[in-house]
mmCIF file of all heavy atoms in Angstrom:
data_model
loop_
_atom_site.group_PDB
_atom_site.id
_atom_site.type_symbol
_atom_site.label_atom_id
_atom_site.label_comp_id
_atom_site.label_asym_id
_atom_site.label_seq_id
_atom_site.Cartn_x
_atom_site.Cartn_y
_atom_site.Cartn_z
ATOM 1 N N ARG A 252 28.101 -22.717 80.798
ATOM 2 C CA ARG A 252 28.986 -21.847 80.113
ATOM 3 C C ARG A 252 28.272 -20.951 79.087
ATOM 4 O O ARG A 252 28.552 -19.762 78.989
ATOM 5 C CB ARG A 252 30.086 -22.674 79.438
ATOM 6 C CG ARG A 252 31.133 -21.844 78.668
ATOM 7 C CD ARG A 252 32.196 -22.785 78.017
ATOM 8 N NE ARG A 252 32.974 -23.424 78.995
ATOM 9 C CZ ARG A 252 33.022 -24.744 79.163
ATOM 10 N NH1 ARG A 252 32.289 -25.520 78.404
ATOM 11 N NH2 ARG A 252 33.774 -25.251 80.083
ATOM 12 N N VAL A 253 27.334 -21.548 78.395
ATOM 13 C CA VAL A 253 26.669 -20.848 77.302
ATOM 14 C C VAL A 253 25.385 -20.202 77.708
ATOM 15 O O VAL A 253 25.047 -19.055 77.354
ATOM 16 C CB VAL A 253 26.434 -21.817 76.101
ATOM 17 C CG1 VAL A 253 25.682 -21.078 74.977
ATOM 18 C CG2 VAL A 253 27.786 -22.347 75.585
ATOM 19 N N LEU A 254 24.562 -20.935 78.482
ATOM 20 C CA LEU A 254 23.198 -20.503 78.807
ATOM 21 C C LEU A 254 23.037 -19.884 80.179
ATOM 22 O O LEU A 254 22.083 -19.150 80.418
ATOM 23 C CB LEU A 254 22.207 -21.646 78.631
ATOM 24 C CG LEU A 254 22.209 -22.365 77.299
ATOM 25 C CD1 LEU A 254 21.264 -23.545 77.332
ATOM 26 C CD2 LEU A 254 21.870 -21.450 76.156
ATOM 27 N N GLY A 255 23.975 -20.228 81.097
ATOM 28 C CA GLY A 255 23.889 -19.705 82.433
ATOM 29 C C GLY A 255 23.249 -20.649 83.436
ATOM 30 O O GLY A 255 22.713 -21.710 83.021
ATOM 31 N N PRO A 256 23.302 -20.324 84.704
ATOM 32 C CA PRO A 256 22.842 -21.258 85.746
ATOM 33 C C PRO A 256 21.355 -21.554 85.731
ATOM 34 O O PRO A 256 20.919 -22.640 86.136
ATOM 35 C CB PRO A 256 23.251 -20.518 87.057
ATOM 36 C CG PRO A 256 23.408 -19.104 86.679
ATOM 37 C CD PRO A 256 23.924 -19.084 85.304
ATOM 38 N N ARG A 257 20.527 -20.638 85.271
ATOM 39 C CA ARG A 257 19.097 -20.859 85.210
ATOM 40 C C ARG A 257 18.767 -22.046 84.271
ATOM 41 O O ARG A 257 17.760 -22.734 84.481
ATOM 42 C CB ARG A 257 18.361 -19.626 84.766
ATOM 43 C CG ARG A 257 18.397 -18.490 85.795
ATOM 44 C CD ARG A 257 17.685 -17.252 85.310
ATOM 45 N NE ARG A 257 16.254 -17.512 85.125
ATOM 46 C CZ ARG A 257 15.388 -16.595 84.679
ATOM 47 N NH1 ARG A 257 15.834 -15.377 84.374
ATOM 48 N NH2 ARG A 257 14.119 -16.875 84.558
ATOM 49 N N ALA A 258 19.563 -22.251 83.282
ATOM 50 C CA ALA A 258 19.380 -23.393 82.381
ATOM 51 C C ALA A 258 20.148 -24.597 82.864
ATOM 52 O O ALA A 258 19.676 -25.737 82.795
ATOM 53 C CB ALA A 258 19.852 -23.019 80.967
ATOM 54 N N ALA A 259 21.369 -24.373 83.381
ATOM 55 C CA ALA A 259 22.257 -25.516 83.736
ATOM 56 C C ALA A 259 21.770 -26.271 84.947
ATOM 57 O O ALA A 259 21.923 -27.519 84.959
ATOM 58 C CB ALA A 259 23.689 -24.966 84.021
ATOM 59 N N VAL A 260 21.163 -25.619 85.924
ATOM 60 C CA VAL A 260 20.746 -26.359 87.142
ATOM 61 C C VAL A 260 19.663 -27.385 86.841
ATOM 62 O O VAL A 260 19.781 -28.538 87.231
ATOM 63 C CB VAL A 260 20.290 -25.362 88.213
ATOM 64 C CG1 VAL A 260 19.622 -26.088 89.383
ATOM 65 C CG2 VAL A 260 21.493 -24.582 88.736
ATOM 66 N N PRO A 261 18.557 -27.034 86.129
ATOM 67 C CA PRO A 261 17.614 -28.069 85.831
ATOM 68 C C PRO A 261 18.146 -29.147 84.898
ATOM 69 O O PRO A 261 17.787 -30.329 85.023
ATOM 70 C CB PRO A 261 16.451 -27.289 85.137
ATOM 71 C CG PRO A 261 16.988 -25.979 84.810
ATOM 72 C CD PRO A 261 18.085 -25.694 85.753
ATOM 73 N N VAL A 262 19.021 -28.777 83.981
ATOM 74 C CA VAL A 262 19.693 -29.762 83.081
ATOM 75 C C VAL A 262 20.440 -30.766 83.942
ATOM 76 O O VAL A 262 20.357 -32.011 83.736
ATOM 77 C CB VAL A 262 20.627 -29.088 82.108
ATOM 78 C CG1 VAL A 262 21.579 -30.124 81.442
ATOM 79 C CG2 VAL A 262 19.807 -28.366 80.994
ATOM 80 N N MET A 263 21.202 -30.263 84.959
ATOM 81 C CA MET A 263 21.977 -31.152 85.792
ATOM 82 C C MET A 263 21.109 -32.124 86.525
ATOM 83 O O MET A 263 21.358 -33.309 86.584
ATOM 84 C CB MET A 263 22.825 -30.316 86.773
ATOM 85 C CG MET A 263 23.660 -31.193 87.683
ATOM 86 S SD MET A 263 24.555 -30.172 88.912
ATOM 87 C CE MET A 263 23.154 -29.536 89.895
ATOM 88 N N PHE A 264 20.014 -31.646 87.137
ATOM 89 C CA PHE A 264 19.160 -32.511 87.936
ATOM 90 C C PHE A 264 18.414 -33.532 87.069
ATOM 91 O O PHE A 264 18.306 -34.691 87.468
ATOM 92 C CB PHE A 264 18.143 -31.666 88.747
ATOM 93 C CG PHE A 264 18.719 -31.101 89.994
ATOM 94 C CD1 PHE A 264 18.955 -29.730 90.105
ATOM 95 C CD2 PHE A 264 19.073 -31.913 91.040
ATOM 96 C CE1 PHE A 264 19.506 -29.208 91.281
ATOM 97 C CE2 PHE A 264 19.595 -31.403 92.222
ATOM 98 C CZ PHE A 264 19.850 -30.052 92.327
ATOM 99 N N VAL A 265 18.026 -33.143 85.868
ATOM 100 C CA VAL A 265 17.428 -34.172 84.969
ATOM 101 C C VAL A 265 18.447 -35.230 84.579
ATOM 102 O O VAL A 265 18.119 -36.428 84.512
ATOM 103 C CB VAL A 265 16.809 -33.491 83.749
ATOM 104 C CG1 VAL A 265 16.354 -34.501 82.751
ATOM 105 C CG2 VAL A 265 15.642 -32.598 84.152
ATOM 106 N N ASP A 266 19.665 -34.786 84.259
ATOM 107 C CA ASP A 266 20.731 -35.716 83.860
ATOM 108 C C ASP A 266 21.060 -36.667 85.013
ATOM 109 O O ASP A 266 21.349 -37.880 84.782
ATOM 110 C CB ASP A 266 21.958 -34.973 83.369
ATOM 111 C CG ASP A 266 21.758 -34.396 81.974
ATOM 112 O OD1 ASP A 266 20.747 -34.687 81.323
ATOM 113 O OD2 ASP A 266 22.620 -33.633 81.541
ATOM 114 N N ILE A 267 21.025 -36.176 86.240
ATOM 115 C CA ILE A 267 21.247 -37.072 87.384
ATOM 116 C C ILE A 267 20.086 -38.069 87.469
ATOM 117 O O ILE A 267 20.318 -39.256 87.702
ATOM 118 C CB ILE A 267 21.355 -36.242 88.720
ATOM 119 C CG1 ILE A 267 22.664 -35.463 88.730
ATOM 120 C CG2 ILE A 267 21.211 -37.127 89.928
ATOM 121 C CD1 ILE A 267 22.779 -34.498 89.871
ATOM 122 N N ALA A 268 18.867 -37.601 87.309
ATOM 123 C CA ALA A 268 17.726 -38.488 87.401
ATOM 124 C C ALA A 268 17.752 -39.564 86.305
ATOM 125 O O ALA A 268 17.315 -40.684 86.552
ATOM 126 C CB ALA A 268 16.413 -37.664 87.299
ATOM 127 N N LYS A 269 18.309 -39.219 85.149
ATOM 128 C CA LYS A 269 18.398 -40.213 84.077
ATOM 129 C C LYS A 269 19.246 -41.448 84.467
ATOM 130 O O LYS A 269 19.026 -42.528 83.954
ATOM 131 C CB LYS A 269 19.000 -39.545 82.818
ATOM 132 C CG LYS A 269 18.081 -38.535 82.172
ATOM 133 C CD LYS A 269 18.622 -37.938 80.890
ATOM 134 C CE LYS A 269 20.065 -37.971 80.659
ATOM 135 N NZ LYS A 269 20.467 -37.185 79.453
ATOM 136 N N GLY A 270 20.230 -41.203 85.315
ATOM 137 C CA GLY A 270 21.024 -42.309 85.817
ATOM 138 C C GLY A 270 20.443 -42.997 87.014
ATOM 139 O O GLY A 270 20.489 -44.220 87.126
ATOM 140 N N TRP A 271 19.814 -42.214 87.900
ATOM 141 C CA TRP A 271 19.298 -42.742 89.156
ATOM 142 C C TRP A 271 18.049 -43.616 88.922
ATOM 143 O O TRP A 271 17.944 -44.733 89.467
ATOM 144 C CB TRP A 271 18.966 -41.623 90.126
ATOM 145 C CG TRP A 271 18.253 -42.115 91.339
ATOM 146 C CD1 TRP A 271 18.812 -42.674 92.457
ATOM 147 C CD2 TRP A 271 16.873 -42.068 91.591
ATOM 148 N NE1 TRP A 271 17.882 -42.995 93.384
ATOM 149 C CE2 TRP A 271 16.652 -42.635 92.871
ATOM 150 C CE3 TRP A 271 15.753 -41.609 90.855
ATOM 151 C CZ2 TRP A 271 15.360 -42.734 93.396
ATOM 152 C CZ3 TRP A 271 14.496 -41.720 91.384
ATOM 153 C CH2 TRP A 271 14.307 -42.277 92.649
ATOM 154 N N LEU A 272 17.109 -43.150 88.116
ATOM 155 C CA LEU A 272 15.832 -43.817 87.963
ATOM 156 C C LEU A 272 15.941 -45.267 87.460
ATOM 157 O O LEU A 272 15.351 -46.143 88.072
ATOM 158 C CB LEU A 272 14.913 -42.999 87.062
ATOM 159 C CG LEU A 272 13.467 -43.503 86.974
ATOM 160 C CD1 LEU A 272 12.781 -43.473 88.353
ATOM 161 C CD2 LEU A 272 12.669 -42.677 85.965
ATOM 162 N N PRO A 273 16.653 -45.517 86.387
ATOM 163 C CA PRO A 273 16.710 -46.921 85.940
ATOM 164 C C PRO A 273 17.357 -47.875 86.960
ATOM 165 O O PRO A 273 16.903 -49.027 87.084
ATOM 166 C CB PRO A 273 17.563 -46.832 84.656
ATOM 167 C CG PRO A 273 17.509 -45.440 84.210
ATOM 168 C CD PRO A 273 17.382 -44.629 85.477
ATOM 169 N N VAL A 274 18.380 -47.386 87.648
ATOM 170 C CA VAL A 274 19.104 -48.234 88.631
ATOM 171 C C VAL A 274 18.228 -48.488 89.847
ATOM 172 O O VAL A 274 18.213 -49.616 90.367
ATOM 173 C CB VAL A 274 20.417 -47.568 89.018
ATOM 174 C CG1 VAL A 274 21.125 -48.399 90.075
ATOM 175 C CG2 VAL A 274 21.323 -47.438 87.821
ATOM 176 N N TRP A 275 17.472 -47.528 90.264
ATOM 177 C CA TRP A 275 16.634 -47.682 91.427
ATOM 178 C C TRP A 275 15.343 -48.368 91.152
ATOM 179 O O TRP A 275 14.872 -49.267 91.897
ATOM 180 C CB TRP A 275 16.341 -46.312 92.061
ATOM 181 C CG TRP A 275 15.503 -46.384 93.310
ATOM 182 C CD1 TRP A 275 15.918 -46.638 94.555
ATOM 183 C CD2 TRP A 275 14.060 -46.248 93.368
ATOM 184 N NE1 TRP A 275 14.854 -46.667 95.424
ATOM 185 C CE2 TRP A 275 13.669 -46.420 94.719
ATOM 186 C CE3 TRP A 275 13.108 -45.963 92.398
ATOM 187 C CZ2 TRP A 275 12.379 -46.325 95.139
ATOM 188 C CZ3 TRP A 275 11.792 -45.856 92.829
ATOM 189 C CH2 TRP A 275 11.453 -46.041 94.151
ATOM 190 N N LEU A 276 14.695 -48.036 90.044
ATOM 191 C CA LEU A 276 13.330 -48.494 89.761
ATOM 192 C C LEU A 276 13.265 -49.793 88.964
ATOM 193 O O LEU A 276 12.497 -50.707 89.302
ATOM 194 C CB LEU A 276 12.566 -47.426 89.011
ATOM 195 C CG LEU A 276 11.123 -47.755 88.591
ATOM 196 C CD1 LEU A 276 10.250 -48.036 89.816
ATOM 197 C CD2 LEU A 276 10.516 -46.631 87.725
ATOM 198 N N PHE A 277 14.104 -49.921 87.930
ATOM 199 C CA PHE A 277 13.929 -51.026 86.998
ATOM 200 C C PHE A 277 14.126 -52.428 87.679
ATOM 201 O O PHE A 277 13.468 -53.380 87.303
ATOM 202 C CB PHE A 277 14.837 -50.857 85.811
ATOM 203 C CG PHE A 277 14.365 -49.779 84.854
ATOM 204 C CD1 PHE A 277 13.332 -48.975 85.181
ATOM 205 C CD2 PHE A 277 15.039 -49.551 83.663
ATOM 206 C CE1 PHE A 277 12.871 -47.969 84.334
ATOM 207 C CE2 PHE A 277 14.642 -48.540 82.801
ATOM 208 C CZ PHE A 277 13.568 -47.729 83.106
ATOM 209 N N PRO A 278 15.073 -52.582 88.650
ATOM 210 C CA PRO A 278 15.198 -53.890 89.263
ATOM 211 C C PRO A 278 13.930 -54.254 90.066
ATOM 212 O O PRO A 278 13.734 -55.446 90.303
ATOM 213 C CB PRO A 278 16.400 -53.680 90.241
ATOM 214 C CG PRO A 278 17.209 -52.598 89.608
ATOM 215 C CD PRO A 278 16.173 -51.679 89.018
ATOM 216 N N ARG A 279 13.135 -53.306 90.389
ATOM 217 C CA ARG A 279 11.884 -53.572 91.093
ATOM 218 C C ARG A 279 10.780 -53.972 90.131
ATOM 219 O O ARG A 279 9.687 -54.409 90.547
ATOM 220 C CB ARG A 279 11.436 -52.339 91.877
ATOM 221 C CG ARG A 279 12.366 -51.996 93.073
ATOM 222 C CD ARG A 279 12.113 -50.634 93.631
ATOM 223 N NE ARG A 279 12.746 -50.447 94.937
ATOM 224 C CZ ARG A 279 14.035 -50.143 95.067
ATOM 225 N NH1 ARG A 279 14.869 -50.074 93.987
ATOM 226 N NH2 ARG A 279 14.563 -50.000 96.270
ATOM 227 N N LEU A 280 11.023 -53.801 88.812
ATOM 228 C CA LEU A 280 10.017 -54.103 87.807
ATOM 229 C C LEU A 280 10.317 -55.294 86.945
ATOM 230 O O LEU A 280 9.428 -55.816 86.272
ATOM 231 C CB LEU A 280 9.828 -52.871 86.893
ATOM 232 C CG LEU A 280 9.435 -51.542 87.526
ATOM 233 C CD1 LEU A 280 9.394 -50.445 86.490
ATOM 234 C CD2 LEU A 280 8.093 -51.656 88.253
ATOM 235 N N ASP A 281 11.579 -55.725 86.915
ATOM 236 C CA ASP A 281 12.014 -56.680 85.920
ATOM 237 C C ASP A 281 11.688 -58.150 86.286
ATOM 238 O O ASP A 281 11.823 -59.041 85.442
ATOM 239 C CB ASP A 281 13.511 -56.569 85.627
ATOM 240 C CG ASP A 281 14.412 -56.828 86.832
ATOM 241 O OD1 ASP A 281 13.909 -57.419 87.824
ATOM 242 O OD2 ASP A 281 15.575 -56.457 86.729
ATOM 243 N N GLY A 282 11.240 -58.397 87.487
ATOM 244 C CA GLY A 282 10.861 -59.745 87.882
ATOM 245 C C GLY A 282 12.036 -60.677 88.143
ATOM 246 O O GLY A 282 11.842 -61.846 88.416
ATOM 247 N N GLU A 283 13.255 -60.148 88.040
ATOM 248 C CA GLU A 283 14.426 -60.970 88.233
ATOM 249 C C GLU A 283 14.961 -60.866 89.651
ATOM 250 O O GLU A 283 15.370 -61.835 90.270
ATOM 251 C CB GLU A 283 15.517 -60.549 87.246
ATOM 252 C CG GLU A 283 15.141 -60.787 85.820
ATOM 253 C CD GLU A 283 15.122 -62.272 85.430
ATOM 254 O OE1 GLU A 283 15.907 -63.030 86.091
ATOM 255 O OE2 GLU A 283 14.334 -62.662 84.566
ATOM 256 N N GLY A 284 15.031 -59.657 90.178
ATOM 257 C CA GLY A 284 15.582 -59.383 91.511
ATOM 258 C C GLY A 284 17.047 -59.503 91.574
ATOM 259 O O GLY A 284 17.610 -59.526 92.665
ATOM 260 N N ALA A 285 17.722 -59.621 90.450
ATOM 261 C CA ALA A 285 19.174 -59.746 90.398
ATOM 262 C C ALA A 285 19.827 -58.353 90.391
ATOM 263 O O ALA A 285 19.536 -57.591 89.461
ATOM 264 C CB ALA A 285 19.620 -60.585 89.196
ATOM 265 N N TRP A 286 20.652 -58.065 91.383
ATOM 266 C CA TRP A 286 21.195 -56.746 91.430
ATOM 267 C C TRP A 286 22.158 -56.444 90.275
ATOM 268 O O TRP A 286 22.364 -55.308 89.929
ATOM 269 C CB TRP A 286 21.951 -56.552 92.768
ATOM 270 C CG TRP A 286 23.139 -57.445 92.912
ATOM 271 C CD1 TRP A 286 23.221 -58.693 93.428
ATOM 272 C CD2 TRP A 286 24.494 -57.155 92.531
ATOM 273 N NE1 TRP A 286 24.459 -59.184 93.398
ATOM 274 C CE2 TRP A 286 25.291 -58.250 92.837
ATOM 275 C CE3 TRP A 286 25.104 -56.036 91.921
ATOM 276 C CZ2 TRP A 286 26.665 -58.322 92.541
ATOM 277 C CZ3 TRP A 286 26.436 -56.081 91.630
ATOM 278 C CH2 TRP A 286 27.218 -57.194 91.941
ATOM 279 N N ALA A 287 22.658 -57.500 89.599
ATOM 280 C CA ALA A 287 23.549 -57.274 88.461
ATOM 281 C C ALA A 287 22.800 -56.545 87.360
ATOM 282 O O ALA A 287 23.429 -55.789 86.573
ATOM 283 C CB ALA A 287 24.109 -58.611 87.926
ATOM 284 N N TRP A 288 21.468 -56.752 87.219
ATOM 285 C CA TRP A 288 20.734 -56.042 86.240
ATOM 286 C C TRP A 288 20.721 -54.529 86.507
ATOM 287 O O TRP A 288 20.680 -53.679 85.587
ATOM 288 C CB TRP A 288 19.323 -56.525 86.127
ATOM 289 C CG TRP A 288 19.160 -57.746 85.263
ATOM 290 C CD1 TRP A 288 18.980 -59.056 85.686
ATOM 291 C CD2 TRP A 288 19.294 -57.783 83.862
ATOM 292 N NE1 TRP A 288 18.947 -59.882 84.591
ATOM 293 C CE2 TRP A 288 19.163 -59.148 83.424
ATOM 294 C CE3 TRP A 288 19.537 -56.852 82.863
ATOM 295 C CZ2 TRP A 288 19.200 -59.545 82.121
ATOM 296 C CZ3 TRP A 288 19.628 -57.244 81.531
ATOM 297 C CH2 TRP A 288 19.463 -58.572 81.185
ATOM 298 N N ALA A 289 20.791 -54.169 87.760
ATOM 299 C CA ALA A 289 20.867 -52.710 88.093
ATOM 300 C C ALA A 289 22.143 -52.071 87.490
ATOM 301 O O ALA A 289 22.107 -50.965 86.987
ATOM 302 C CB ALA A 289 20.868 -52.520 89.612
ATOM 303 N N LEU A 290 23.232 -52.790 87.499
ATOM 304 C CA LEU A 290 24.463 -52.327 86.909
ATOM 305 C C LEU A 290 24.285 -52.161 85.362
ATOM 306 O O LEU A 290 24.733 -51.191 84.780
ATOM 307 C CB LEU A 290 25.623 -53.265 87.184
ATOM 308 C CG LEU A 290 25.928 -53.625 88.665
ATOM 309 C CD1 LEU A 290 27.132 -54.501 88.771
ATOM 310 C CD2 LEU A 290 26.081 -52.389 89.488
ATOM 311 N N ALA A 291 23.618 -53.186 84.791
ATOM 312 C CA ALA A 291 23.402 -53.109 83.353
ATOM 313 C C ALA A 291 22.527 -51.929 82.977
ATOM 314 O O ALA A 291 22.759 -51.227 81.967
ATOM 315 C CB ALA A 291 22.779 -54.414 82.862
ATOM 316 N N TYR A 292 21.459 -51.670 83.765
ATOM 317 C CA TYR A 292 20.598 -50.525 83.529
ATOM 318 C C TYR A 292 21.372 -49.210 83.610
ATOM 319 O O TYR A 292 21.182 -48.289 82.800
ATOM 320 C CB TYR A 292 19.412 -50.513 84.458
ATOM 321 C CG TYR A 292 18.531 -51.736 84.386
ATOM 322 C CD1 TYR A 292 18.016 -52.270 85.557
ATOM 323 C CD2 TYR A 292 18.224 -52.348 83.202
ATOM 324 C CE1 TYR A 292 17.200 -53.397 85.507
ATOM 325 C CE2 TYR A 292 17.422 -53.465 83.153
ATOM 326 C CZ TYR A 292 16.876 -54.018 84.298
ATOM 327 O OH TYR A 292 16.126 -55.127 84.269
ATOM 328 N N GLY A 293 22.239 -49.130 84.621
ATOM 329 C CA GLY A 293 23.059 -47.905 84.755
ATOM 330 C C GLY A 293 24.003 -47.732 83.573
ATOM 331 O O GLY A 293 24.111 -46.570 83.076
ATOM 332 N N ALA A 294 24.656 -48.790 83.158
ATOM 333 C CA ALA A 294 25.539 -48.682 82.021
ATOM 334 C C ALA A 294 24.819 -48.265 80.742
ATOM 335 O O ALA A 294 25.291 -47.469 79.954
ATOM 336 C CB ALA A 294 26.272 -50.071 81.783
ATOM 337 N N ALA A 295 23.596 -48.806 80.549
ATOM 338 C CA ALA A 295 22.817 -48.463 79.397
ATOM 339 C C ALA A 295 22.428 -46.984 79.402
ATOM 340 O O ALA A 295 22.468 -46.316 78.381
ATOM 341 C CB ALA A 295 21.561 -49.334 79.299
ATOM 342 N N ALA A 296 22.003 -46.484 80.603
ATOM 343 C CA ALA A 296 21.655 -45.067 80.718
ATOM 344 C C ALA A 296 22.850 -44.175 80.416
ATOM 345 O O ALA A 296 22.715 -43.150 79.774
ATOM 346 C CB ALA A 296 21.105 -44.813 82.112
ATOM 347 N N LEU A 297 24.020 -44.542 80.928
ATOM 348 C CA LEU A 297 25.232 -43.736 80.685
ATOM 349 C C LEU A 297 25.602 -43.753 79.191
ATOM 350 O O LEU A 297 25.937 -42.698 78.617
ATOM 351 C CB LEU A 297 26.385 -44.298 81.500
ATOM 352 C CG LEU A 297 27.710 -43.494 81.364
ATOM 353 C CD1 LEU A 297 27.522 -42.083 81.822
ATOM 354 C CD2 LEU A 297 28.843 -44.198 82.154
ATOM 355 N N LEU A 298 25.497 -44.876 78.574
ATOM 356 C CA LEU A 298 25.775 -44.934 77.111
ATOM 357 C C LEU A 298 24.803 -44.084 76.362
ATOM 358 O O LEU A 298 25.143 -43.380 75.363
ATOM 359 C CB LEU A 298 25.671 -46.375 76.604
ATOM 360 C CG LEU A 298 26.900 -47.280 76.934
ATOM 361 C CD1 LEU A 298 26.599 -48.736 76.549
ATOM 362 C CD2 LEU A 298 28.150 -46.802 76.250
ATOM 363 N N GLY A 299 23.540 -44.102 76.763
ATOM 364 C CA GLY A 299 22.558 -43.260 76.128
ATOM 365 C C GLY A 299 22.859 -41.767 76.261
ATOM 366 O O GLY A 299 22.671 -41.005 75.321
#
């Protein structure tokens, strides 16, 4: 609305990545393998 599509499109993709990356990557790093942690990572990213 304020800056135009040249600013909004990269903002949108980065904001999508902020949610996708913790859910996809962190369960592979935490040593737990429990899929419930993926939900927790997603919730934390959204709150952030």
Side-chain angles (χ1 to χ4, degrees):
R252 181 180 293 118
V253 177
L254 305 176
R257 292 179 64 182
V260 170
V262 165
M263 179 184 67
F264 279 109
V265 172
D266 285 351
I267 289 173
K269 290 183 339 188
W271 173 80
L272 186 63
V274 176
W275 180 83
L276 178 62
F277 289 4
R279 292 167 167 78
L280 302 177
D281 61 16
E283 295 290 330
W286 64 270
W288 276 108
L290 306 184
Y292 300 141
L297 182 61
L298 284 173

